[in-house]
Amino acid sequence: MERLPYIAVLVAWGFVSMGHLLPDLIGDRLRGSLRTVAWAAVVLHVGTLAAGVLVSPYPTGFPEALSGMSLGVGLAYLWVVRHRLRALGMLLAPLAMVILGTSLVVPHRSVAALEQTGYSPWLPIHLGLVFAGLAGFALSSVVGMMFLWARRRLKQKNFVGMARLPSLEVLDRIQFRAMLFGFVFLTLGIGAGGAWAAASLHQAFTMDPKVWFTLLIWAWYGAALQVRLVAGRRGRWTALFSIVGFCGLIFSLVGLNFLLAGWHSYGG
Amino acid sequence: MAADGERLLAVGLSHRTAPVEIRERLAMDEDGVKSTIERLRRDEVVEEALLLSTCNRVELYAVPRSVEALQEFYGSFRGPSGERIDDHLYWYRGREAVLHLFRVAASLDSLVLGEPQILGQVRDAVRIAGELSSLGTVLHPLTQRTLSVAKRVRSHTDIGKSRVGIGNAGVDLALQIFGSLEGKRCMLVGVGEMGRQVAVALLSAGLEELLVTNRTFERSVELASEFGGTPVRYERMADYLPRADILLAATGATQPIITVPMVRMALRERRYRTIFLIDLSVPRNIAPGIDDLEEAYLFNIDDLSKVVDEGRQARIQAADEALRLVEDETDRFLASLRTVDINDDLRRITAVAEALRIAEIERSRKLTQGLDERQLKALDAMTKALVKKLLHRPMMAARIAAREGDMEKAQLLMDPWKADR
């Protein structure tokens, strides 16, 4: 992994986060440039990832996974800021920074199954789809937390600084759309993974714990969408489903790859 | 004539200094504004003029030719019983005048803090003055800056965000829940004044439909026709409840008429879409337990006044913030006027230096005779760069001194170049 450009991206997100969290520290003039800096960070991030894929050993390790996720959150930030939801950007920019920072310090190991299959064009497809899904779920859970917080304040009749928060309906709509987006891409990502495994390992399915756990999470999100679309329960229900689901995803991403042996585990 | 902020004068009266009987004597329509500006300029009272006339203020911003003549002009106005109006007038000069105009345009001097109309009125005044070409080296940049400062205040502070009044508090809460009132339906129970206030505010905020119900059907028909709403029979209220995104209750009933089971059923029927309830009545008409339902948000009259208070608080805070911004902008504007001031001098200095350079090249003609075209060009470029570099620091220093208001230092820095020898 090329460290230098990533550090630049990290610094850029640090700047953007500071612009949101401590606006007084950054002058008026600089505050206007936050969006440009965020764009630059995302473009640089994409460029570095692409260069990595083209040039050196394909991205397969845990750091790359986190890096991809940070990129997803960064893209979500751009989308959110475009829609004038500053309060959300305030959460997403630090999130992108923290995930990317983690990716820079965790040890590099690559995925076990790749030693059998070698590089395949399925890899970027599988990873790209899964991480697009992850970004959707990340946005959904962050917005879900905001929804719960904003709702609690309304229920407690606490109106301090009220006008600065997005409305409940807007938050609810975003958490749902982000979840739907995540679900569609995770579905495609799982499908691509299965197709890849079928083509190169001659079995689409195995007792690999990550596959099982991911399917469980997939079902969880499927249930969340059911509850919303069929039973009509939205708002807090969607938020709770989303937050629990994302915790599961984090566990899957961090825990399973290291703890348990299987296709996705990080070998030596 | 150099632009100089100190020559600016603002004179006028507003709701802060004069009662309406006086204000209406000075107030004028567009034609009046035009003819007054024309007259003041024809009589050589002012050089530049901007006249702002609204129902809350009449103000003249001017670069006067003769302050006495201007005082005389204002001395000619009489109050309703023939008295002079001097006591109601304020006169601001220089920085004070700039600050005042910025504050007015940013709605910091308005009767209702942060109200948005004033900016449009200022913009009109600027257009009129512009058509009469009465905006010159002071007022032209000032008016341009005023409009941008007002916009900045609006976008950088929360001054325009929170509104006053119980009706608007209801709208604020509705927006906090729904984001927009587009496509939303409200049912008003009872025809009291408070309910009416909130209903009107909701309608003007974009509410799609208003259902009106009351114990006596005739009253609800009356009120409904007044607002273009739909009357609903009191007995059928529960049937219509699921269709209402917003429920407003303001009746004289002594116990809850909207009960928990009613709302629970309505929610099920509307597939758990959010319902927002406002209870304006005392004793309360909506069962408090409804707020414990997942998708119901119930606010009573105390909650609404809390929103009103919060809005007032937020406004005061925002006004402080805005005032700081406006003061900064005032200083920045005056500094920019001064920078414009020395631009002519700086240009002259550059010209003197250029003349010296050319003269020097002429003098060295004998030495440069053997040079070819390319070498001559290089020599030219080199000497140009040298002059530019040597001038850069003193000119920068003069510019900075001027920007900081230290004209003496700026002049001192430029003096050696000005003396013609």
Side-chain angles (χ1 to χ4, degrees), chain A residues 94-116:
Chain A
L95 189 63
M97 182 179 75
V98 168
I99 297 176
L100 185 61
T102 315
S103 85
L104 290 176
V105 294
V106 295
H108 181 98
R109 298 201 233 156
S110 69
V111 171
L114 274 164
E115 281 157 20
Q116 290 178 48

Side-chain angles (χ1 to χ4, degrees), chain A:
Chain A
M1 215 162 73
E2 284 303 322
R3 297 186 78 82
L4 211 59
Y6 278 128
I7 290 171
V9 176
L10 191 68
V11 169
W13 282 122
F15 175 77
V16 175
S17 307
M18 211 158 78
H20 280 288
L21 299 174
L22 303 164
D24 294 328
L25 222 66
I26 292 187
D28 248 0
R29 197 167 304 170
L30 283 179
R31 213 178 308 160
S33 66
L34 286 186
R35 205 191 283 198
T36 322
V37 173
W39 267 102
V42 167
V43 168
L44 185 59
H45 201 149
V46 171
T48 316
L49 263 183
V53 171
L54 287 177
V55 182
S56 54
Y58 27 86
T60 58
F62 185 54
E64 284 83 2
L66 287 176
S67 163
M69 195 163 140
S70 164
L71 176 62
V73 175
L75 286 168
Y77 171 88
L78 291 181
W79 183 79
V80 154
V81 172
R82 223 188 125 83
H83 289 75
R84 297 177 180 280
L85 296 164
R86 282 192 42 132
L88 277 181
M90 199 190 288
L91 291 174
L92 290 177
L95 189 63
M97 182 179 75
V98 168
I99 297 176
L100 185 61
T102 315
S103 85
L104 290 176
V105 294
V106 295
H108 181 98
R109 298 201 233 156
S110 69
V111 171
L114 274 164
E115 281 157 20
Q116 290 178 48
T117 63
Y119 180 73
S120 147
W122 278 109
L123 177 66
I125 297 174
H126 175 57
L127 279 183
L129 290 170
V130 168
F131 280 116
L134 279 185
F137 290 136
L139 176 63
S140 175
S141 66
V142 167
V143 176
M145 284 183 233
M146 278 193 71
F147 176 90
L148 290 183
W149 186 63
R151 176 181 185 277
R152 218 172 97 105
R153 283 169 52 101
L154 276 175
K155 286 282 187 188
Q156 289 176 340
K157 321 299 173 204
N158 175 358
F159 308 119
V160 178
M162 188 174 74
R164 287 170 202 241
L165 280 176
S167 68
L168 289 186
E169 201 148 285
V170 166
L171 289 172
D172 184 46
R173 203 177 316 140
I174 295 177
Q175 68 170 357
F176 168 66
R177 282 189 193 164
M179 186 192 276
L180 194 62
F181 176 92
F183 188 75
V184 168
F185 277 87
L186 184 64
T187 308
L188 294 174
I190 291 173
W196 179 18
S200 57
L201 300 174
H202 305 296
Q203 71 188 107
F205 208 67
T206 181
M207 288 305 284
D208 176 45
K210 178 123 179 166
V211 172
W212 279 103
F213 194 75
T214 307
L215 283 177
L216 190 71
I217 291 176
W218 180 83
W220 173 264
Y221 279 114
L225 293 171
Q226 284 286 313
V227 162
R228 184 178 179 112
L229 295 172
V230 179
R233 306 308 291 251
R234 59 200 84 210
R236 200 159 71 111
W237 288 71
T238 307
L240 289 175
F241 265 109
S242 185
I243 292 165
V244 172
F246 192 64
C247 289
L249 277 175
I250 297 265
F251 171 70
S252 154
L253 192 71
V254 178
L256 287 185
N257 290 43
F258 286 108
L259 296 178
L260 300 168
W263 278 353
H264 290 87
S265 60
Y266 293 121

Side-chain angles (χ1 to χ4, degrees), chain B residues 72 96 159 188 231 234 268 331 379:
Chain B
E72 217 170 278
E96 292 290 300
I159 191 92
L188 171 62
Y234 194 74
R268 201 170 306 143
D331 291 333
L379 181 70

Side-chain angles (χ1 to χ4, degrees), chain B residues 2-197:
Chain B
D4 180 359
E6 279 313 304
R7 298 176 58 232
L8 180 70
L9 196 72
V11 50
L13 43 71
S14 74
H15 60 95
R16 290 186 195 284
T17 64
V20 63
E21 301 83 48
I22 308 275
R23 296 206 302 273
E24 69 192 5
R25 302 233 153 201
L26 266 74
M28 48 194 122
D29 59 5
E30 185 166 335
D31 288 335
V33 169
K34 276 185 183 158
S35 62
T36 308
I37 291 179
E38 272 166 354
R39 196 174 118 212
L40 287 171
R41 295 186 77 206
R42 196 179 48 237
D43 298 348
E44 305 219 314
V45 180
V46 300
E47 228 167 87
E48 307 179 26
L50 170 76
L51 191 52
L52 176 66
S53 176
T54 75
C55 48
N56 283 323
R57 65 184 68 249
V58 183
E59 293 174 336
L60 174 72
Y61 295 85
V63 176
R65 275 185 202 283
S66 148
V67 177
E68 292 76 35
L70 199 57
Q71 279 164 345
E72 217 170 278
F73 171 75
Y74 273 95
S76 68
F77 288 100
R78 289 288 175 269
S81 42
E83 78 280 17
R84 288 172 66 99
I85 59 162
D86 300 327
D87 288 350
H88 300 288
L89 289 173
Y90 39 79
W91 295 76
Y92 296 123
R93 196 172 251 294
R95 183 178 190 278
E96 292 290 300
V98 174
L99 184 62
H100 185 70
L101 179 55
F102 284 179
R103 288 185 57 209
V104 167
S107 191
L108 295 174
D109 198 51
S110 300
L111 193 59
V112 179
L113 209 59
E115 55 90 6
Q117 285 94 334
I118 182 69
L119 182 55
Q121 291 162 334
V122 171
R123 200 176 279 129
D124 283 342
V126 170
R127 175 183 52 79
I128 294 167
E131 282 166 12
L132 299 172
S133 28
S134 73
L135 303 177
T137 54
V138 175
L139 280 182
H140 181 71
L142 176 62
T143 50
Q144 293 313 304
R145 187 65 71 93
T146 303
L147 298 177
S148 75
V149 166
K151 267 188 240 149
R152 251 175 76 86
V153 167
R154 207 144 268 280
S155 62
H156 280 67
T157 72
D158 290 339
I159 191 92
K161 285 219 177 105
S162 43
R163 286 152 297 189
V164 284
I166 206 94
N168 283 325
V171 172
D172 280 348
L173 280 174
L175 292 179
Q176 202 56 44
I177 290 170
F178 295 121
S180 135
L181 291 180
E182 214 174 298
K184 298 285 182 254
R185 194 177 290 118
C186 170
M187 180 147 79
L188 171 62
V189 187
V191 293
E193 178 51 36
M194 289 264 260
R196 186 185 297 227
Q197 252 182 53

Side-chain angles (χ1 to χ4, degrees), chain B residues 350 353-354 356-357 360-361 377-395 417:
Chain B
T350 316
E354 175 67 8
L356 284 175
R357 185 185 74 86
E360 212 55 32
I361 287 185
K377 244 186 199 154
L379 181 70
D380 200 52
M382 191 266 273
T383 49
K384 252 187 195 153
L386 187 63
V387 166
K388 201 173 158 193
K389 284 214 167 114
L390 285 175
L391 277 180
H392 178 70
R393 286 191 186 190
M395 280 175 52
W417 295 92

